[in-house]
Amino acid sequence: MEIVNGFKLMDYAKEHQLVLPAFNTTNYELTAGIIKGYQEMGLGGYIAISSSNLKLSNPKIIADMVRSTMIECDTPIALHLDHGKSFEDVKACIDAGFTSIMVDASHLPLDQNIAEVRKAVEYCHFYGIPVEAELGAISGKEDDHISEEDAKTDPADVLSFVEETGCDLLAVSIGNVHGMDLSPHLDFPLLKEIAEISTVPLVLHGGSGIPFDQVRRAKAENLIKVNYGSDLRQAFIRTFGQAYEQNHNEFNVMQLSKDAIANVEERVKTIIKEVNIN
Ligand code: G3H
Ligand code: ZN
């Protein structure tokens, strides 16, 4: 199947009443494990790459890799720019064939956040691509970027932010954190308040480590997308780490890469199933 347009994927989520996972990839093995997981579960979702990761592989390499890896896959998958940090990244990703974009200007003052998102929305909508924006700041570690900022989304800003930016999805900060080993305490009353105000569906970042029952509880509050990064990265790294611990002379990269794909696929299947159990 071709990479699916982000608006179509949002319609699919609404039609099937799903919370769609967005799995971050970094390399071929993560990509293959994610796509196999979607295929095996027969459900769609996002494959995402963080802006910071584009320093390692440019958007065209990522889009080509995803496109060719999902040829055999018949579930809808959108290719998403995660935490887009610059307008240049946004344009490069659209040019490369990404079908969903996040602009993360949440570290900027509110008026600048609005201006950055608005600019990207005008550009992306021209190409028929939806835009996710973040209001409030999520702390923790995302790839090589560490953020100490931790500002919960202020419900008072939600309606004007959505209206003025024209964004299509809203990432919220409600106690969720990036990274694996921080224990998040989701503020459900705040999430509910935001959901009642927001005219667009919500996104939860920092999925790794959040107990699945909490993600399912959040689903009731117009949650359409939940992001997973560290969880799969650990599954990948663990494969190589354990093999090395067992045998310091291990050099069978091909077998370990296959094992890593299988281990990532298992995590993907578990997450897809767990976030949507009713
Ligand atoms: O944008 C990506 C995510 O929010 C990933 O967060 O590494 O805590 O799963 P995580
Ligand atoms: Zn994130």
PDB file of all heavy atoms in Angstrom, residues 148-184:
ATOM      1  N   GLU A 148      13.884  20.391  29.933  1.00  0.00           N
ATOM      2  CA  GLU A 148      13.552  20.507  31.359  1.00  0.00           C
ATOM      3  C   GLU A 148      12.187  21.173  31.518  1.00  0.00           C
ATOM      4  O   GLU A 148      11.615  21.192  32.589  1.00  0.00           O
ATOM      5  CB  GLU A 148      14.607  21.349  32.097  1.00  0.00           C
ATOM      6  CG  GLU A 148      16.042  20.838  31.984  1.00  0.00           C
ATOM      7  CD  GLU A 148      16.242  19.483  32.637  1.00  0.00           C
ATOM      8  OE1 GLU A 148      15.438  19.120  33.512  1.00  0.00           O
ATOM      9  OE2 GLU A 148      17.182  18.776  32.247  1.00  0.00           O
ATOM     10  N   GLU A 149      11.722  21.756  30.418  1.00  0.00           N
ATOM     11  CA  GLU A 149      10.461  22.495  30.490  1.00  0.00           C
ATOM     12  C   GLU A 149       9.312  21.546  30.833  1.00  0.00           C
ATOM     13  O   GLU A 149       9.269  20.427  30.371  1.00  0.00           O
ATOM     14  CB  GLU A 149      10.138  23.141  29.141  1.00  0.00           C
ATOM     15  CG  GLU A 149      11.014  24.315  28.791  1.00  0.00           C
ATOM     16  CD  GLU A 149      10.748  24.733  27.356  1.00  0.00           C
ATOM     17  OE1 GLU A 149       9.851  25.551  27.160  1.00  0.00           O
ATOM     18  OE2 GLU A 149      11.432  24.226  26.468  1.00  0.00           O
ATOM     19  N   ASP A 150       8.412  22.012  31.643  1.00  0.00           N
ATOM     20  CA  ASP A 150       7.269  21.187  31.994  1.00  0.00           C
ATOM     21  C   ASP A 150       6.113  22.124  32.306  1.00  0.00           C
ATOM     22  O   ASP A 150       5.869  22.453  33.453  1.00  0.00           O
ATOM     23  CB  ASP A 150       7.632  20.310  33.197  1.00  0.00           C
ATOM     24  CG  ASP A 150       6.472  19.429  33.596  1.00  0.00           C
ATOM     25  OD1 ASP A 150       5.517  19.318  32.810  1.00  0.00           O
ATOM     26  OD2 ASP A 150       6.516  18.866  34.701  1.00  0.00           O
ATOM     27  N   ALA A 151       5.439  22.589  31.268  1.00  0.00           N
ATOM     28  CA  ALA A 151       4.331  23.511  31.478  1.00  0.00           C
ATOM     29  C   ALA A 151       3.069  22.847  30.999  1.00  0.00           C
ATOM     30  O   ALA A 151       2.942  22.504  29.822  1.00  0.00           O
ATOM     31  CB  ALA A 151       4.585  24.796  30.705  1.00  0.00           C
ATOM     32  N   LYS A 152       2.154  22.590  31.919  1.00  0.00           N
ATOM     33  CA  LYS A 152       0.905  21.944  31.512  1.00  0.00           C
ATOM     34  C   LYS A 152       0.129  22.860  30.569  1.00  0.00           C
ATOM     35  O   LYS A 152       0.237  24.098  30.640  1.00  0.00           O
ATOM     36  CB  LYS A 152       0.070  21.604  32.746  1.00  0.00           C
ATOM     37  CG  LYS A 152       0.598  20.373  33.476  1.00  0.00           C
ATOM     38  CD  LYS A 152      -0.358  19.925  34.555  1.00  0.00           C
ATOM     39  CE  LYS A 152       0.180  18.688  35.256  1.00  0.00           C
ATOM     40  NZ  LYS A 152      -0.626  18.292  36.413  1.00  0.00           N
ATOM     41  N   THR A 153      -0.649  22.249  29.689  1.00  0.00           N
ATOM     42  CA  THR A 153      -1.481  23.006  28.762  1.00  0.00           C
ATOM     43  C   THR A 153      -2.500  23.819  29.555  1.00  0.00           C
ATOM     44  O   THR A 153      -3.191  23.272  30.423  1.00  0.00           O
ATOM     45  CB  THR A 153      -2.225  22.031  27.820  1.00  0.00           C
ATOM     46  OG1 THR A 153      -1.245  21.209  27.177  1.00  0.00           O
ATOM     47  CG2 THR A 153      -3.041  22.786  26.785  1.00  0.00           C
ATOM     48  N   ASP A 154      -2.573  25.109  29.239  1.00  0.00           N
ATOM     49  CA  ASP A 154      -3.532  25.975  29.925  1.00  0.00           C
ATOM     50  C   ASP A 154      -4.850  25.964  29.137  1.00  0.00           C
ATOM     51  O   ASP A 154      -4.895  26.430  27.994  1.00  0.00           O
ATOM     52  CB  ASP A 154      -2.961  27.405  29.992  1.00  0.00           C
ATOM     53  CG  ASP A 154      -3.859  28.338  30.804  1.00  0.00           C
ATOM     54  OD1 ASP A 154      -5.025  27.962  31.073  1.00  0.00           O
ATOM     55  OD2 ASP A 154      -3.388  29.433  31.151  1.00  0.00           O
ATOM     56  N   PRO A 155      -5.915  25.442  29.735  1.00  0.00           N
ATOM     57  CA  PRO A 155      -7.194  25.355  29.010  1.00  0.00           C
ATOM     58  C   PRO A 155      -7.662  26.713  28.485  1.00  0.00           C
ATOM     59  O   PRO A 155      -8.329  26.789  27.460  1.00  0.00           O
ATOM     60  CB  PRO A 155      -8.177  24.818  30.047  1.00  0.00           C
ATOM     61  CG  PRO A 155      -7.350  24.283  31.152  1.00  0.00           C
ATOM     62  CD  PRO A 155      -6.026  24.948  31.120  1.00  0.00           C
ATOM     63  N   ALA A 156      -7.268  27.776  29.180  1.00  0.00           N
ATOM     64  CA  ALA A 156      -7.703  29.120  28.770  1.00  0.00           C
ATOM     65  C   ALA A 156      -7.161  29.486  27.385  1.00  0.00           C
ATOM     66  O   ALA A 156      -7.731  30.340  26.703  1.00  0.00           O
ATOM     67  CB  ALA A 156      -7.253  30.144  29.804  1.00  0.00           C
ATOM     68  N   ASP A 157      -6.058  28.851  26.991  1.00  0.00           N
ATOM     69  CA  ASP A 157      -5.446  29.183  25.690  1.00  0.00           C
ATOM     70  C   ASP A 157      -5.917  28.278  24.559  1.00  0.00           C
ATOM     71  O   ASP A 157      -5.613  28.536  23.384  1.00  0.00           O
ATOM     72  CB  ASP A 157      -3.911  29.040  25.785  1.00  0.00           C
ATOM     73  CG  ASP A 157      -3.309  30.060  26.730  1.00  0.00           C
ATOM     74  OD1 ASP A 157      -3.891  31.154  26.865  1.00  0.00           O
ATOM     75  OD2 ASP A 157      -2.263  29.748  27.341  1.00  0.00           O
ATOM     76  N   VAL A 158      -6.603  27.193  24.913  1.00  0.00           N
ATOM     77  CA  VAL A 158      -6.837  26.131  23.925  1.00  0.00           C
ATOM     78  C   VAL A 158      -7.650  26.595  22.716  1.00  0.00           C
ATOM     79  O   VAL A 158      -7.239  26.425  21.567  1.00  0.00           O
ATOM     80  CB  VAL A 158      -7.501  24.898  24.593  1.00  0.00           C
ATOM     81  CG1 VAL A 158      -8.039  23.918  23.559  1.00  0.00           C
ATOM     82  CG2 VAL A 158      -6.490  24.198  25.499  1.00  0.00           C
ATOM     83  N   LEU A 159      -8.805  27.202  22.979  1.00  0.00           N
ATOM     84  CA  LEU A 159      -9.693  27.540  21.860  1.00  0.00           C
ATOM     85  C   LEU A 159      -9.046  28.540  20.911  1.00  0.00           C
ATOM     86  O   LEU A 159      -9.034  28.352  19.686  1.00  0.00           O
ATOM     87  CB  LEU A 159     -11.032  28.076  22.375  1.00  0.00           C
ATOM     88  CG  LEU A 159     -12.098  28.269  21.297  1.00  0.00           C
ATOM     89  CD1 LEU A 159     -12.399  26.959  20.564  1.00  0.00           C
ATOM     90  CD2 LEU A 159     -13.379  28.834  21.888  1.00  0.00           C
ATOM     91  N   SER A 160      -8.475  29.608  21.462  1.00  0.00           N
ATOM     92  CA  SER A 160      -7.860  30.624  20.588  1.00  0.00           C
ATOM     93  C   SER A 160      -6.655  30.029  19.863  1.00  0.00           C
ATOM     94  O   SER A 160      -6.422  30.320  18.684  1.00  0.00           O
ATOM     95  CB  SER A 160      -7.464  31.863  21.393  1.00  0.00           C
ATOM     96  OG  SER A 160      -6.608  31.504  22.441  1.00  0.00           O
ATOM     97  N   PHE A 161      -5.892  29.144  20.540  1.00  0.00           N
ATOM     98  CA  PHE A 161      -4.726  28.530  19.882  1.00  0.00           C
ATOM     99  C   PHE A 161      -5.169  27.708  18.676  1.00  0.00           C
ATOM    100  O   PHE A 161      -4.605  27.831  17.582  1.00  0.00           O
ATOM    101  CB  PHE A 161      -3.972  27.642  20.882  1.00  0.00           C
ATOM    102  CG  PHE A 161      -2.721  27.011  20.316  1.00  0.00           C
ATOM    103  CD1 PHE A 161      -1.532  27.734  20.256  1.00  0.00           C
ATOM    104  CD2 PHE A 161      -2.730  25.703  19.838  1.00  0.00           C
ATOM    105  CE1 PHE A 161      -0.372  27.163  19.723  1.00  0.00           C
ATOM    106  CE2 PHE A 161      -1.582  25.132  19.305  1.00  0.00           C
ATOM    107  CZ  PHE A 161      -0.403  25.857  19.255  1.00  0.00           C
ATOM    108  N   VAL A 162      -6.181  26.888  18.876  1.00  0.00           N
ATOM    109  CA  VAL A 162      -6.653  26.032  17.774  1.00  0.00           C
ATOM    110  C   VAL A 162      -7.217  26.894  16.641  1.00  0.00           C
ATOM    111  O   VAL A 162      -6.918  26.679  15.466  1.00  0.00           O
ATOM    112  CB  VAL A 162      -7.699  25.012  18.281  1.00  0.00           C
ATOM    113  CG1 VAL A 162      -8.349  24.275  17.125  1.00  0.00           C
ATOM    114  CG2 VAL A 162      -7.051  24.023  19.245  1.00  0.00           C
ATOM    115  N   GLU A 163      -8.018  27.890  17.018  1.00  0.00           N
ATOM    116  CA  GLU A 163      -8.634  28.738  15.981  1.00  0.00           C
ATOM    117  C   GLU A 163      -7.601  29.570  15.236  1.00  0.00           C
ATOM    118  O   GLU A 163      -7.623  29.671  14.015  1.00  0.00           O
ATOM    119  CB  GLU A 163      -9.691  29.657  16.605  1.00  0.00           C
ATOM    120  CG  GLU A 163     -10.975  28.894  16.916  1.00  0.00           C
ATOM    121  CD  GLU A 163     -12.036  29.768  17.582  1.00  0.00           C
ATOM    122  OE1 GLU A 163     -11.692  30.892  18.024  1.00  0.00           O
ATOM    123  OE2 GLU A 163     -13.196  29.315  17.660  1.00  0.00           O
ATOM    124  N   GLU A 164      -6.658  30.146  15.972  1.00  0.00           N
ATOM    125  CA  GLU A 164      -5.696  31.048  15.328  1.00  0.00           C
ATOM    126  C   GLU A 164      -4.644  30.302  14.518  1.00  0.00           C
ATOM    127  O   GLU A 164      -4.161  30.802  13.509  1.00  0.00           O
ATOM    128  CB  GLU A 164      -5.025  31.950  16.369  1.00  0.00           C
ATOM    129  CG  GLU A 164      -5.967  33.016  16.898  1.00  0.00           C
ATOM    130  CD  GLU A 164      -5.346  33.844  18.010  1.00  0.00           C
ATOM    131  OE1 GLU A 164      -4.136  34.123  17.960  1.00  0.00           O
ATOM    132  OE2 GLU A 164      -6.082  34.183  18.962  1.00  0.00           O
ATOM    133  N   THR A 165      -4.290  29.103  14.964  1.00  0.00           N
ATOM    134  CA  THR A 165      -3.281  28.343  14.201  1.00  0.00           C
ATOM    135  C   THR A 165      -3.908  27.585  13.039  1.00  0.00           C
ATOM    136  O   THR A 165      -3.274  27.379  12.014  1.00  0.00           O
ATOM    137  CB  THR A 165      -2.559  27.305  15.086  1.00  0.00           C
ATOM    138  OG1 THR A 165      -3.539  26.404  15.624  1.00  0.00           O
ATOM    139  CG2 THR A 165      -1.780  27.964  16.204  1.00  0.00           C
ATOM    140  N   GLY A 166      -5.162  27.138  13.212  1.00  0.00           N
ATOM    141  CA  GLY A 166      -5.785  26.286  12.196  1.00  0.00           C
ATOM    142  C   GLY A 166      -5.255  24.856  12.255  1.00  0.00           C
ATOM    143  O   GLY A 166      -5.424  24.082  11.301  1.00  0.00           O
ATOM    144  N   CYS A 167      -4.631  24.476  13.387  1.00  0.00           N
ATOM    145  CA  CYS A 167      -4.061  23.125  13.494  1.00  0.00           C
ATOM    146  C   CYS A 167      -5.176  22.065  13.490  1.00  0.00           C
ATOM    147  O   CYS A 167      -6.339  22.360  13.778  1.00  0.00           O
ATOM    148  CB  CYS A 167      -3.193  22.987  14.747  1.00  0.00           C
ATOM    149  SG  CYS A 167      -4.103  23.009  16.299  1.00  0.00           S
ATOM    150  N   ASP A 168      -4.793  20.844  13.149  1.00  0.00           N
ATOM    151  CA  ASP A 168      -5.770  19.760  12.978  1.00  0.00           C
ATOM    152  C   ASP A 168      -5.753  18.770  14.139  1.00  0.00           C
ATOM    153  O   ASP A 168      -6.704  18.006  14.320  1.00  0.00           O
ATOM    154  CB  ASP A 168      -5.474  19.013  11.674  1.00  0.00           C
ATOM    155  CG  ASP A 168      -5.433  19.978  10.505  1.00  0.00           C
ATOM    156  OD1 ASP A 168      -6.506  20.457  10.111  1.00  0.00           O
ATOM    157  OD2 ASP A 168      -4.322  20.286  10.022  1.00  0.00           O
ATOM    158  N   LEU A 169      -4.652  18.745  14.875  1.00  0.00           N
ATOM    159  CA  LEU A 169      -4.524  17.891  16.061  1.00  0.00           C
ATOM    160  C   LEU A 169      -3.777  18.709  17.113  1.00  0.00           C
ATOM    161  O   LEU A 169      -2.888  19.504  16.763  1.00  0.00           O
ATOM    162  CB  LEU A 169      -3.708  16.623  15.792  1.00  0.00           C
ATOM    163  CG  LEU A 169      -4.099  15.706  14.651  1.00  0.00           C
ATOM    164  CD1 LEU A 169      -3.235  15.970  13.436  1.00  0.00           C
ATOM    165  CD2 LEU A 169      -3.947  14.248  15.062  1.00  0.00           C
ATOM    166  N   LEU A 170      -4.110  18.465  18.372  1.00  0.00           N
ATOM    167  CA  LEU A 170      -3.488  19.241  19.447  1.00  0.00           C
ATOM    168  C   LEU A 170      -2.792  18.312  20.446  1.00  0.00           C
ATOM    169  O   LEU A 170      -3.442  17.478  21.089  1.00  0.00           O
ATOM    170  CB  LEU A 170      -4.555  20.077  20.172  1.00  0.00           C
ATOM    171  CG  LEU A 170      -4.021  20.958  21.290  1.00  0.00           C
ATOM    172  CD1 LEU A 170      -3.146  22.089  20.747  1.00  0.00           C
ATOM    173  CD2 LEU A 170      -5.178  21.537  22.117  1.00  0.00           C
ATOM    174  N   ALA A 171      -1.466  18.464  20.548  1.00  0.00           N
ATOM    175  CA  ALA A 171      -0.693  17.697  21.538  1.00  0.00           C
ATOM    176  C   ALA A 171      -0.749  18.436  22.864  1.00  0.00           C
ATOM    177  O   ALA A 171      -0.490  19.638  22.931  1.00  0.00           O
ATOM    178  CB  ALA A 171       0.748  17.555  21.078  1.00  0.00           C
ATOM    179  N   VAL A 172      -1.102  17.694  23.909  1.00  0.00           N
ATOM    180  CA  VAL A 172      -1.306  18.325  25.214  1.00  0.00           C
ATOM    181  C   VAL A 172      -0.234  17.905  26.216  1.00  0.00           C
ATOM    182  O   VAL A 172       0.362  16.831  26.104  1.00  0.00           O
ATOM    183  CB  VAL A 172      -2.698  17.955  25.789  1.00  0.00           C
ATOM    184  CG1 VAL A 172      -3.796  18.568  24.941  1.00  0.00           C
ATOM    185  CG2 VAL A 172      -2.869  16.439  25.900  1.00  0.00           C
ATOM    186  N   SER A 173      -0.026  18.766  27.171  1.00  0.00           N
ATOM    187  CA  SER A 173       0.884  18.472  28.276  1.00  0.00           C
ATOM    188  C   SER A 173       0.037  18.377  29.542  1.00  0.00           C
ATOM    189  O   SER A 173      -0.454  19.384  30.056  1.00  0.00           O
ATOM    190  CB  SER A 173       1.924  19.589  28.393  1.00  0.00           C
ATOM    191  OG  SER A 173       2.722  19.367  29.533  1.00  0.00           O
ATOM    192  N   ILE A 174      -0.148  17.148  30.006  1.00  0.00           N
ATOM    193  CA  ILE A 174      -1.049  16.930  31.163  1.00  0.00           C
ATOM    194  C   ILE A 174      -0.350  16.052  32.216  1.00  0.00           C
ATOM    195  O   ILE A 174      -0.990  15.282  32.914  1.00  0.00           O
ATOM    196  CB  ILE A 174      -2.369  16.264  30.718  1.00  0.00           C
ATOM    197  CG1 ILE A 174      -2.091  14.961  29.947  1.00  0.00           C
ATOM    198  CG2 ILE A 174      -3.217  17.209  29.879  1.00  0.00           C
ATOM    199  CD1 ILE A 174      -3.246  14.000  29.904  1.00  0.00           C
ATOM    200  N   GLY A 175       0.995  16.145  32.228  1.00  0.00           N
ATOM    201  CA  GLY A 175       1.758  15.289  33.148  1.00  0.00           C
ATOM    202  C   GLY A 175       2.487  14.189  32.412  1.00  0.00           C
ATOM    203  O   GLY A 175       3.253  13.431  33.017  1.00  0.00           O
ATOM    204  N   ASN A 176       2.268  14.073  31.126  1.00  0.00           N
ATOM    205  CA  ASN A 176       2.992  13.091  30.307  1.00  0.00           C
ATOM    206  C   ASN A 176       4.420  13.579  30.086  1.00  0.00           C
ATOM    207  O   ASN A 176       4.656  14.788  29.981  1.00  0.00           O
ATOM    208  CB  ASN A 176       2.282  12.875  28.954  1.00  0.00           C
ATOM    209  CG  ASN A 176       1.818  14.166  28.289  1.00  0.00           C
ATOM    210  OD1 ASN A 176       1.381  15.095  28.946  1.00  0.00           O
ATOM    211  ND2 ASN A 176       1.925  14.232  26.978  1.00  0.00           N
ATOM    212  N   VAL A 177       5.350  12.645  30.037  1.00  0.00           N
ATOM    213  CA  VAL A 177       6.767  13.005  29.849  1.00  0.00           C
ATOM    214  C   VAL A 177       7.382  12.136  28.760  1.00  0.00           C
ATOM    215  O   VAL A 177       6.929  11.017  28.522  1.00  0.00           O
ATOM    216  CB  VAL A 177       7.588  12.822  31.153  1.00  0.00           C
ATOM    217  CG1 VAL A 177       7.188  13.820  32.207  1.00  0.00           C
ATOM    218  CG2 VAL A 177       7.460  11.397  31.686  1.00  0.00           C
ATOM    219  N   HIS A 178       8.402  12.648  28.130  1.00  0.00           N
ATOM    220  CA  HIS A 178       9.153  11.854  27.157  1.00  0.00           C
ATOM    221  C   HIS A 178      10.154  10.962  27.885  1.00  0.00           C
ATOM    222  O   HIS A 178      10.780  11.389  28.850  1.00  0.00           O
ATOM    223  CB  HIS A 178       9.934  12.771  26.201  1.00  0.00           C
ATOM    224  CG  HIS A 178       9.071  13.418  25.163  1.00  0.00           C
ATOM    225  ND1 HIS A 178       9.097  14.760  24.912  1.00  0.00           N
ATOM    226  CD2 HIS A 178       8.171  12.891  24.306  1.00  0.00           C
ATOM    227  CE1 HIS A 178       8.246  15.039  23.928  1.00  0.00           C
ATOM    228  NE2 HIS A 178       7.659  13.919  23.549  1.00  0.00           N
ATOM    229  N   GLY A 179      10.315   9.748  27.405  1.00  0.00           N
ATOM    230  CA  GLY A 179      11.313   8.850  27.990  1.00  0.00           C
ATOM    231  C   GLY A 179      10.646   7.713  28.720  1.00  0.00           C
ATOM    232  O   GLY A 179       9.453   7.736  28.993  1.00  0.00           O
ATOM    233  N   MET A 180      11.475   6.741  29.085  1.00  0.00           N
ATOM    234  CA  MET A 180      10.950   5.479  29.589  1.00  0.00           C
ATOM    235  C   MET A 180      10.839   5.427  31.106  1.00  0.00           C
ATOM    236  O   MET A 180       9.889   4.907  31.643  1.00  0.00           O
ATOM    237  CB  MET A 180      11.895   4.374  29.108  1.00  0.00           C
ATOM    238  CG  MET A 180      11.365   2.997  29.185  1.00  0.00           C
ATOM    239  SD  MET A 180      10.098   2.709  27.963  1.00  0.00           S
ATOM    240  CE  MET A 180       9.287   1.307  28.652  1.00  0.00           C
ATOM    241  N   ASP A 181      11.832   5.983  31.776  1.00  0.00           N
ATOM    242  CA  ASP A 181      11.914   5.670  33.195  1.00  0.00           C
ATOM    243  C   ASP A 181      11.340   6.748  34.124  1.00  0.00           C
ATOM    244  O   ASP A 181      11.551   6.716  35.315  1.00  0.00           O
ATOM    245  CB  ASP A 181      13.360   5.339  33.582  1.00  0.00           C
ATOM    246  CG  ASP A 181      14.355   6.195  32.857  1.00  0.00           C
ATOM    247  OD1 ASP A 181      13.961   7.276  32.380  1.00  0.00           O
ATOM    248  OD2 ASP A 181      15.516   5.811  32.758  1.00  0.00           O
ATOM    249  N   LEU A 182      10.626   7.699  33.569  1.00  0.00           N
ATOM    250  CA  LEU A 182       9.966   8.685  34.424  1.00  0.00           C
ATOM    251  C   LEU A 182       8.524   8.220  34.605  1.00  0.00           C
ATOM    252  O   LEU A 182       7.909   7.757  33.657  1.00  0.00           O
ATOM    253  CB  LEU A 182       9.994  10.052  33.747  1.00  0.00           C
ATOM    254  CG  LEU A 182      11.397  10.577  33.418  1.00  0.00           C
ATOM    255  CD1 LEU A 182      11.343  11.665  32.366  1.00  0.00           C
ATOM    256  CD2 LEU A 182      12.041  11.112  34.689  1.00  0.00           C
ATOM    257  N   SER A 183       8.018   8.305  35.823  1.00  0.00           N
ATOM    258  CA  SER A 183       6.644   7.812  35.982  1.00  0.00           C
ATOM    259  C   SER A 183       5.647   8.970  35.873  1.00  0.00           C
ATOM    260  O   SER A 183       5.621   9.852  36.725  1.00  0.00           O
ATOM    261  CB  SER A 183       6.482   7.083  37.311  1.00  0.00           C
ATOM    262  OG  SER A 183       7.029   7.870  38.320  1.00  0.00           O
ATOM    263  N   PRO A 184       4.863   8.957  34.803  1.00  0.00           N
ATOM    264  CA  PRO A 184       3.953  10.075  34.575  1.00  0.00           C
ATOM    265  C   PRO A 184       2.708  10.000  35.449  1.00  0.00           C
ATOM    266  O   PRO A 184       2.241   8.928  35.794  1.00  0.00           O
ATOM    267  CB  PRO A 184       3.573   9.889  33.103  1.00  0.00           C
ATOM    268  CG  PRO A 184       3.728   8.436  32.856  1.00  0.00           C
ATOM    269  CD  PRO A 184       4.757   7.911  33.799  1.00  0.00           C
TER     270      PRO A 184
END
